[in-house]
Structure formats: C-alpha cells, structure tokens
Amino acid sequence: MDADSVSFAADLAALAWQVELGADEAIAEEPVDRFEVRAAAPAARAAPAAQPVAPAVRTAVVERGSVEIAAGCGDLASLRAAIGAFEGCSLKQGARNLVFADGDPRARVMVIGEAPGREEDREGLPFVGRSGQLLDRMLAAIGLSRRAEDPRAGAYITNVLPWRPPQNRDPSGDEAAKMLPFLFRHIELARPEFLLLLGSPAARAVLSAEFGVTRLRGKWHEWRGVPAIATFHPAALLRDPGKKREVWADLVMLKARMGG
C-alpha cells in the first residue's frame, strides 16, 4: 500500500470515528482549527472588559425577561412568535428551525419531551425521527394519536427546549431554566387534562424534581393542579427494549385515569 492510500485510509477512519461520536454534520462552510482557537483564547480573555456582568446576574436578567415575555402571550400563535424572537438561549444560534409543537392543542393529553433531535431540527416538528415513530406507536396502544380528529383521542406534543442541543446532548439546567417560563405558559394556554413527561430532563424540569425518571415513574404527580405522569423517553427504549414493560405500565395508568 502506497503512502497516499495509507493517508486516505487514516483520514477515512478518523471521519468514521467523528461520526460515531455524533459529529455527523458540518455547520460552518469553512473548517476551523480548534487548536489555534484555544491557543489564541487566553490572549483574548486577557483584554480588559468594560463593566463585566457576573454570570449569575446575566442569568437572572434573562430568566426574568422570559417570564415577562411568556406572561404577555395570550394565545399559542403569539407564544410561538415570542419564542422565535427570544435571544436569551444560545441554542438558537446553532439550530436550523424552531420546534414548537405538533398535534391538536385541544387534546386532553400534552406530551413533553426533552429537546429536538436532528430530524426534528430539520423538519421543525417534535418527535419525527425513530423516537417519534415509537412514540406514535406507544400512544396508539392506548388509543391516542397526534393526528386524531377528535380531541378526546388526540395528543399534543412539545419539548422543554424548542431548539436542538449540539450532538443531541441532554439540555443543561441553565438552558432549561431560561426556557421554562415559555413551556409553563404553553401548558397554561393549551390547558391539557393530563401531562405525559418523557425522560428525566423533562420530568425534572416540569416537576422541579431532584432525581430522574426511574424514581418518578409509576406514580402520579401534579403540575399546578394538572395530573402528570413520567416515563422513559422513547429513545431510552430504543437503547434498552427491556424498559418497555415499565413504560407500558405507565401508559396503562394514564389510560385508566383518562377513563379509557
């Protein structure tokens, strides 16, 4: 094997390794030398800044602003527009589309996940990839559908975050905190009878819980008087099908509470 072939094989292996880690799409048109950026960073930080604002103060200002903005939204259309114009969450800068909701907002059940993935970011709709297909089957098993004409059999689906985190990582606590006022206003405007919370980030955010879905599932909770049940995210079922029995038990609890 000549030197060119060896170099090509090494480059191909490095590319495959990056894809395996989740770096499966290019955002910038030009390559960026991250080592050069890191080397230059200390010099940039050494430059004096005029009246720096402490991170805690910045976060408090952003959160207070999002509370006021969300409270001023009188319907779902204005809420969607307000989220689209909000600049307080850096995830917006790397996302292709705002992912607001899907399904019938009149539905009795509102489903809340963590954040959009790659397919959701492309289409601007929540739960449209493999996890979404599995979610549709889960809902169908208890007589619900995001495409149902009757709101009594409908499902309204959204996420804690409306923008995709890089490489589909879990949302950080700070990111969720900035967007929670919008999510809470979303629930208030949709007025569901029940909440179905998918995954630990969604369950912790909505229920203000310190622990994850493994301890939260299997029992009823409340959000401002709305009955809520938490269960594993469909993505967790794709990784570990053994959790399907527990999820089915949670869905049966929801169906029974709905009177089905």
mmCIF file of all heavy atoms in Angstrom, residues 170-206:
data_model
loop_
_atom_site.group_PDB
_atom_site.id
_atom_site.type_symbol
_atom_site.label_atom_id
_atom_site.label_comp_id
_atom_site.label_asym_id
_atom_site.label_seq_id
_atom_site.Cartn_x
_atom_site.Cartn_y
_atom_site.Cartn_z
ATOM 1 N N ASP A 170 -28.112 16.034 26.359
ATOM 2 C CA ASP A 170 -29.190 16.433 27.253
ATOM 3 C C ASP A 170 -29.134 17.950 27.466
ATOM 4 O O ASP A 170 -28.044 18.542 27.523
ATOM 5 C CB ASP A 170 -29.057 15.744 28.611
ATOM 6 C CG ASP A 170 -29.480 14.290 28.563
ATOM 7 O OD1 ASP A 170 -30.126 13.910 27.571
ATOM 8 O OD2 ASP A 170 -29.153 13.550 29.508
ATOM 9 N N PRO A 171 -30.283 18.602 27.603
ATOM 10 C CA PRO A 171 -30.285 20.035 27.907
ATOM 11 C C PRO A 171 -29.630 20.297 29.255
ATOM 12 O O PRO A 171 -29.783 19.516 30.197
ATOM 13 C CB PRO A 171 -31.782 20.377 27.969
ATOM 14 C CG PRO A 171 -32.483 19.267 27.275
ATOM 15 C CD PRO A 171 -31.645 18.045 27.472
ATOM 16 N N SER A 172 -28.877 21.394 29.353
ATOM 17 C CA SER A 172 -28.292 21.768 30.635
ATOM 18 C C SER A 172 -29.368 22.403 31.511
ATOM 19 O O SER A 172 -30.400 22.866 31.023
ATOM 20 C CB SER A 172 -27.136 22.757 30.435
ATOM 21 O OG SER A 172 -27.636 24.022 30.020
ATOM 22 N N GLY A 173 -29.108 22.437 32.816
ATOM 23 C CA GLY A 173 -30.048 23.059 33.733
ATOM 24 C C GLY A 173 -30.259 24.529 33.428
ATOM 25 O O GLY A 173 -31.380 25.046 33.535
ATOM 26 N N ASP A 174 -29.198 25.209 33.015
ATOM 27 C CA ASP A 174 -29.298 26.630 32.707
ATOM 28 C C ASP A 174 -30.154 26.857 31.470
ATOM 29 O O ASP A 174 -30.981 27.770 31.431
ATOM 30 C CB ASP A 174 -27.894 27.210 32.503
ATOM 31 C CG ASP A 174 -27.917 28.709 32.293
ATOM 32 O OD1 ASP A 174 -28.421 29.427 33.166
ATOM 33 O OD2 ASP A 174 -27.430 29.172 31.235
ATOM 34 N N GLU A 175 -29.971 26.004 30.450
ATOM 35 C CA GLU A 175 -30.770 26.138 29.228
ATOM 36 C C GLU A 175 -32.254 25.903 29.509
ATOM 37 O O GLU A 175 -33.114 26.642 29.028
ATOM 38 C CB GLU A 175 -30.261 25.152 28.174
ATOM 39 C CG GLU A 175 -28.891 25.514 27.622
ATOM 40 C CD GLU A 175 -28.209 24.354 26.924
ATOM 41 O OE1 GLU A 175 -28.681 23.192 27.051
ATOM 42 O OE2 GLU A 175 -27.186 24.593 26.261
ATOM 43 N N ALA A 176 -32.530 24.876 30.308
ATOM 44 C CA ALA A 176 -33.927 24.585 30.638
ATOM 45 C C ALA A 176 -34.544 25.722 31.445
ATOM 46 O O ALA A 176 -35.695 26.106 31.216
ATOM 47 C CB ALA A 176 -34.014 23.275 31.409
ATOM 48 N N ALA A 177 -33.771 26.274 32.386
ATOM 49 C CA ALA A 177 -34.300 27.344 33.239
ATOM 50 C C ALA A 177 -34.701 28.563 32.416
ATOM 51 O O ALA A 177 -35.707 29.216 32.708
ATOM 52 C CB ALA A 177 -33.265 27.729 34.292
ATOM 53 N N LYS A 178 -33.928 28.875 31.394
ATOM 54 C CA LYS A 178 -34.228 30.043 30.566
ATOM 55 C C LYS A 178 -35.515 29.867 29.770
ATOM 56 O O LYS A 178 -36.213 30.843 29.480
ATOM 57 C CB LYS A 178 -33.068 30.315 29.611
ATOM 58 C CG LYS A 178 -31.810 30.797 30.300
ATOM 59 C CD LYS A 178 -30.662 30.940 29.320
ATOM 60 C CE LYS A 178 -29.409 31.427 30.033
ATOM 61 N NZ LYS A 178 -28.249 31.520 29.122
ATOM 62 N N MET A 179 -35.832 28.620 29.409
ATOM 63 C CA MET A 179 -36.993 28.382 28.562
ATOM 64 C C MET A 179 -38.216 27.886 29.323
ATOM 65 O O MET A 179 -39.309 27.817 28.757
ATOM 66 C CB MET A 179 -36.630 27.359 27.471
ATOM 67 C CG MET A 179 -35.464 27.772 26.576
ATOM 68 S SD MET A 179 -35.659 29.425 25.855
ATOM 69 C CE MET A 179 -37.133 29.220 24.864
ATOM 70 N N LEU A 180 -38.071 27.564 30.602
ATOM 71 C CA LEU A 180 -39.209 27.032 31.352
ATOM 72 C C LEU A 180 -40.412 27.974 31.398
ATOM 73 O O LEU A 180 -41.553 27.497 31.312
ATOM 74 C CB LEU A 180 -38.770 26.679 32.778
ATOM 75 C CG LEU A 180 -38.232 25.265 32.979
ATOM 76 C CD1 LEU A 180 -37.898 25.029 34.443
ATOM 77 C CD2 LEU A 180 -39.215 24.212 32.483
ATOM 78 N N PRO A 181 -40.215 29.291 31.549
ATOM 79 C CA PRO A 181 -41.403 30.156 31.547
ATOM 80 C C PRO A 181 -42.242 30.011 30.279
ATOM 81 O O PRO A 181 -43.478 30.070 30.330
ATOM 82 C CB PRO A 181 -40.810 31.566 31.672
ATOM 83 C CG PRO A 181 -39.522 31.359 32.382
ATOM 84 C CD PRO A 181 -38.991 30.058 31.857
ATOM 85 N N PHE A 182 -41.582 29.798 29.140
ATOM 86 C CA PHE A 182 -42.319 29.599 27.889
ATOM 87 C C PHE A 182 -43.057 28.261 27.906
ATOM 88 O O PHE A 182 -44.204 28.164 27.455
ATOM 89 C CB PHE A 182 -41.374 29.666 26.698
ATOM 90 C CG PHE A 182 -40.755 31.014 26.481
ATOM 91 C CD1 PHE A 182 -39.412 31.228 26.747
ATOM 92 C CD2 PHE A 182 -41.506 32.077 26.009
ATOM 93 C CE1 PHE A 182 -38.836 32.471 26.548
ATOM 94 C CE2 PHE A 182 -40.948 33.333 25.807
ATOM 95 C CZ PHE A 182 -39.600 33.530 26.085
ATOM 96 N N LEU A 183 -42.397 27.213 28.411
ATOM 97 C CA LEU A 183 -43.054 25.904 28.485
ATOM 98 C C LEU A 183 -44.257 25.963 29.411
ATOM 99 O O LEU A 183 -45.337 25.443 29.084
ATOM 100 C CB LEU A 183 -42.069 24.846 28.980
ATOM 101 C CG LEU A 183 -42.670 23.453 29.237
ATOM 102 C CD1 LEU A 183 -43.205 22.844 27.948
ATOM 103 C CD2 LEU A 183 -41.663 22.538 29.895
ATOM 104 N N PHE A 184 -44.105 26.592 30.564
ATOM 105 C CA PHE A 184 -45.216 26.671 31.511
ATOM 106 C C PHE A 184 -46.387 27.468 30.926
ATOM 107 O O PHE A 184 -47.553 27.112 31.133
ATOM 108 C CB PHE A 184 -44.746 27.290 32.817
ATOM 109 C CG PHE A 184 -43.796 26.412 33.601
ATOM 110 C CD1 PHE A 184 -43.062 26.927 34.649
ATOM 111 C CD2 PHE A 184 -43.641 25.075 33.289
ATOM 112 C CE1 PHE A 184 -42.190 26.125 35.377
ATOM 113 C CE2 PHE A 184 -42.765 24.254 33.999
ATOM 114 C CZ PHE A 184 -42.037 24.790 35.052
ATOM 115 N N ARG A 185 -46.064 28.541 30.205
ATOM 116 C CA ARG A 185 -47.142 29.302 29.557
ATOM 117 C C ARG A 185 -47.804 28.470 28.462
ATOM 118 O O ARG A 185 -49.019 28.556 28.239
ATOM 119 C CB ARG A 185 -46.577 30.603 28.977
ATOM 120 C CG ARG A 185 -47.642 31.540 28.413
ATOM 121 C CD ARG A 185 -48.645 31.922 29.464
ATOM 122 N NE ARG A 185 -49.653 32.877 28.958
ATOM 123 C CZ ARG A 185 -50.868 32.977 29.461
ATOM 124 N NH1 ARG A 185 -51.241 32.240 30.497
ATOM 125 N NH2 ARG A 185 -51.720 33.855 28.950
ATOM 126 N N HIS A 186 -47.002 27.646 27.797
ATOM 127 C CA HIS A 186 -47.522 26.745 26.763
ATOM 128 C C HIS A 186 -48.566 25.810 27.377
ATOM 129 O O HIS A 186 -49.650 25.603 26.809
ATOM 130 C CB HIS A 186 -46.362 25.951 26.163
ATOM 131 C CG HIS A 186 -46.638 25.364 24.830
ATOM 132 N ND1 HIS A 186 -45.648 24.938 23.972
ATOM 133 C CD2 HIS A 186 -47.806 25.099 24.179
ATOM 134 C CE1 HIS A 186 -46.194 24.451 22.870
ATOM 135 N NE2 HIS A 186 -47.504 24.530 22.974
ATOM 136 N N ILE A 187 -48.243 25.240 28.533
ATOM 137 C CA ILE A 187 -49.188 24.341 29.197
ATOM 138 C C ILE A 187 -50.447 25.100 29.592
ATOM 139 O O ILE A 187 -51.574 24.612 29.408
ATOM 140 C CB ILE A 187 -48.537 23.699 30.433
ATOM 141 C CG1 ILE A 187 -47.297 22.882 30.034
ATOM 142 C CG2 ILE A 187 -49.535 22.796 31.150
ATOM 143 C CD1 ILE A 187 -46.495 22.368 31.216
ATOM 144 N N GLU A 188 -50.272 26.300 30.124
ATOM 145 C CA GLU A 188 -51.430 27.094 30.549
ATOM 146 C C GLU A 188 -52.359 27.406 29.383
ATOM 147 O O GLU A 188 -53.582 27.352 29.511
ATOM 148 C CB GLU A 188 -50.952 28.392 31.191
ATOM 149 C CG GLU A 188 -50.279 28.208 32.542
ATOM 150 C CD GLU A 188 -49.656 29.485 33.065
ATOM 151 O OE1 GLU A 188 -49.513 30.452 32.277
ATOM 152 O OE2 GLU A 188 -49.301 29.522 34.253
ATOM 153 N N LEU A 189 -51.776 27.734 28.238
ATOM 154 C CA LEU A 189 -52.594 28.096 27.077
ATOM 155 C C LEU A 189 -53.269 26.867 26.453
ATOM 156 O O LEU A 189 -54.397 26.954 25.961
ATOM 157 C CB LEU A 189 -51.736 28.821 26.037
ATOM 158 C CG LEU A 189 -51.236 30.209 26.434
ATOM 159 C CD1 LEU A 189 -50.220 30.731 25.417
ATOM 160 C CD2 LEU A 189 -52.407 31.190 26.561
ATOM 161 N N ALA A 190 -52.580 25.735 26.444
ATOM 162 C CA ALA A 190 -53.158 24.514 25.860
ATOM 163 C C ALA A 190 -54.198 23.888 26.795
ATOM 164 O O ALA A 190 -55.119 23.202 26.328
ATOM 165 C CB ALA A 190 -52.055 23.508 25.552
ATOM 166 N N ARG A 191 -54.040 24.096 28.077
ATOM 167 C CA ARG A 191 -54.976 23.597 29.094
ATOM 168 C C ARG A 191 -55.267 22.091 28.970
ATOM 169 O O ARG A 191 -56.425 21.661 28.865
ATOM 170 C CB ARG A 191 -56.292 24.374 29.050
ATOM 171 C CG ARG A 191 -56.138 25.831 29.428
ATOM 172 C CD ARG A 191 -57.468 26.533 29.492
ATOM 173 N NE ARG A 191 -58.104 26.590 28.176
ATOM 174 C CZ ARG A 191 -59.319 27.104 27.954
ATOM 175 N NH1 ARG A 191 -60.024 27.591 28.962
ATOM 176 N NH2 ARG A 191 -59.831 27.124 26.733
ATOM 177 N N PRO A 192 -54.237 21.255 28.962
ATOM 178 C CA PRO A 192 -54.474 19.808 28.886
ATOM 179 C C PRO A 192 -55.052 19.282 30.193
ATOM 180 O O PRO A 192 -54.903 19.891 31.262
ATOM 181 C CB PRO A 192 -53.072 19.249 28.648
ATOM 182 C CG PRO A 192 -52.174 20.229 29.338
ATOM 183 C CD PRO A 192 -52.803 21.572 29.094
ATOM 184 N N GLU A 193 -55.690 18.132 30.103
ATOM 185 C CA GLU A 193 -56.190 17.469 31.308
ATOM 186 C C GLU A 193 -55.107 16.625 31.956
ATOM 187 O O GLU A 193 -55.146 16.368 33.166
ATOM 188 C CB GLU A 193 -57.387 16.593 30.961
ATOM 189 C CG GLU A 193 -58.613 17.355 30.471
ATOM 190 C CD GLU A 193 -59.771 16.424 30.168
ATOM 191 O OE1 GLU A 193 -59.944 15.420 30.899
ATOM 192 O OE2 GLU A 193 -60.484 16.678 29.186
ATOM 193 N N PHE A 194 -54.119 16.172 31.133
ATOM 194 C CA PHE A 194 -53.051 15.305 31.641
ATOM 195 C C PHE A 194 -51.735 15.675 30.968
ATOM 196 O O PHE A 194 -51.717 16.112 29.808
ATOM 197 C CB PHE A 194 -53.366 13.829 31.356
ATOM 198 C CG PHE A 194 -54.674 13.361 31.916
ATOM 199 C CD1 PHE A 194 -55.819 13.370 31.126
ATOM 200 C CD2 PHE A 194 -54.771 12.924 33.226
ATOM 201 C CE1 PHE A 194 -57.039 12.952 31.631
ATOM 202 C CE2 PHE A 194 -55.993 12.501 33.739
ATOM 203 C CZ PHE A 194 -57.127 12.513 32.944
ATOM 204 N N LEU A 195 -50.637 15.464 31.693
ATOM 205 C CA LEU A 195 -49.301 15.641 31.149
ATOM 206 C C LEU A 195 -48.582 14.295 31.138
ATOM 207 O O LEU A 195 -48.605 13.566 32.142
ATOM 208 C CB LEU A 195 -48.490 16.632 31.992
ATOM 209 C CG LEU A 195 -48.983 18.077 32.052
ATOM 210 C CD1 LEU A 195 -48.120 18.889 33.020
ATOM 211 C CD2 LEU A 195 -48.960 18.717 30.662
ATOM 212 N N LEU A 196 -47.942 13.986 30.007
ATOM 213 C CA LEU A 196 -47.098 12.794 29.894
ATOM 214 C C LEU A 196 -45.672 13.294 29.683
ATOM 215 O O LEU A 196 -45.371 13.887 28.642
ATOM 216 C CB LEU A 196 -47.553 11.919 28.724
ATOM 217 C CG LEU A 196 -46.689 10.690 28.409
ATOM 218 C CD1 LEU A 196 -46.625 9.748 29.609
ATOM 219 C CD2 LEU A 196 -47.235 9.959 27.176
ATOM 220 N N LEU A 197 -44.803 13.063 30.649
ATOM 221 C CA LEU A 197 -43.448 13.588 30.640
ATOM 222 C C LEU A 197 -42.478 12.483 30.253
ATOM 223 O O LEU A 197 -42.426 11.430 30.910
ATOM 224 C CB LEU A 197 -43.078 14.150 32.017
ATOM 225 C CG LEU A 197 -44.115 15.108 32.629
ATOM 226 C CD1 LEU A 197 -43.700 15.506 34.036
ATOM 227 C CD2 LEU A 197 -44.301 16.329 31.736
ATOM 228 N N LEU A 198 -41.707 12.719 29.194
ATOM 229 C CA LEU A 198 -40.832 11.690 28.639
ATOM 230 C C LEU A 198 -39.371 11.986 28.953
ATOM 231 O O LEU A 198 -38.803 12.961 28.465
ATOM 232 C CB LEU A 198 -41.026 11.601 27.126
ATOM 233 C CG LEU A 198 -42.449 11.305 26.642
ATOM 234 C CD1 LEU A 198 -42.495 11.301 25.120
ATOM 235 C CD2 LEU A 198 -42.953 9.978 27.205
ATOM 236 N N GLY A 199 -38.769 11.150 29.780
ATOM 237 C CA GLY A 199 -37.347 11.287 30.078
ATOM 238 C C GLY A 199 -37.072 12.134 31.310
ATOM 239 O O GLY A 199 -37.891 12.955 31.730
ATOM 240 N N SER A 200 -35.887 11.938 31.882
ATOM 241 C CA SER A 200 -35.518 12.641 33.112
ATOM 242 C C SER A 200 -35.462 14.151 32.965
ATOM 243 O O SER A 200 -35.957 14.873 33.843
ATOM 244 C CB SER A 200 -34.174 12.103 33.622
ATOM 245 O OG SER A 200 -34.318 10.774 34.094
ATOM 246 N N PRO A 201 -34.841 14.704 31.899
ATOM 247 C CA PRO A 201 -34.803 16.163 31.800
ATOM 248 C C PRO A 201 -36.184 16.807 31.801
ATOM 249 O O PRO A 201 -36.405 17.823 32.470
ATOM 250 C CB PRO A 201 -34.066 16.408 30.478
ATOM 251 C CG PRO A 201 -33.194 15.207 30.312
ATOM 252 C CD PRO A 201 -34.020 14.074 30.839
ATOM 253 N N ALA A 202 -37.137 16.220 31.084
ATOM 254 C CA ALA A 202 -38.490 16.773 31.048
ATOM 255 C C ALA A 202 -39.170 16.622 32.403
ATOM 256 O O ALA A 202 -39.818 17.555 32.902
ATOM 257 C CB ALA A 202 -39.316 16.086 29.962
ATOM 258 N N ALA A 203 -39.034 15.461 33.016
ATOM 259 C CA ALA A 203 -39.676 15.222 34.302
ATOM 260 C C ALA A 203 -39.111 16.135 35.377
ATOM 261 O O ALA A 203 -39.854 16.722 36.172
ATOM 262 C CB ALA A 203 -39.520 13.756 34.702
ATOM 263 N N ARG A 204 -37.783 16.268 35.419
ATOM 264 C CA ARG A 204 -37.172 17.136 36.433
ATOM 265 C C ARG A 204 -37.570 18.587 36.224
ATOM 266 O O ARG A 204 -37.825 19.319 37.184
ATOM 267 C CB ARG A 204 -35.648 16.996 36.394
ATOM 268 C CG ARG A 204 -35.123 15.751 37.088
ATOM 269 C CD ARG A 204 -33.644 15.857 37.356
ATOM 270 N NE ARG A 204 -32.880 15.924 36.127
ATOM 271 C CZ ARG A 204 -32.207 14.907 35.611
ATOM 272 N NH1 ARG A 204 -32.228 13.737 36.211
ATOM 273 N NH2 ARG A 204 -31.523 15.047 34.489
ATOM 274 N N ALA A 205 -37.607 19.026 34.966
ATOM 275 C CA ALA A 205 -37.922 20.424 34.684
ATOM 276 C C ALA A 205 -39.353 20.773 35.069
ATOM 277 O O ALA A 205 -39.607 21.784 35.717
ATOM 278 C CB ALA A 205 -37.688 20.719 33.204
ATOM 279 N N VAL A 206 -40.299 19.929 34.683
ATOM 280 C CA VAL A 206 -41.710 20.234 34.923
ATOM 281 C C VAL A 206 -42.077 20.030 36.391
ATOM 282 O O VAL A 206 -42.812 20.834 36.975
ATOM 283 C CB VAL A 206 -42.615 19.378 34.019
ATOM 284 C CG1 VAL A 206 -44.081 19.595 34.365
ATOM 285 C CG2 VAL A 206 -42.364 19.722 32.545
#
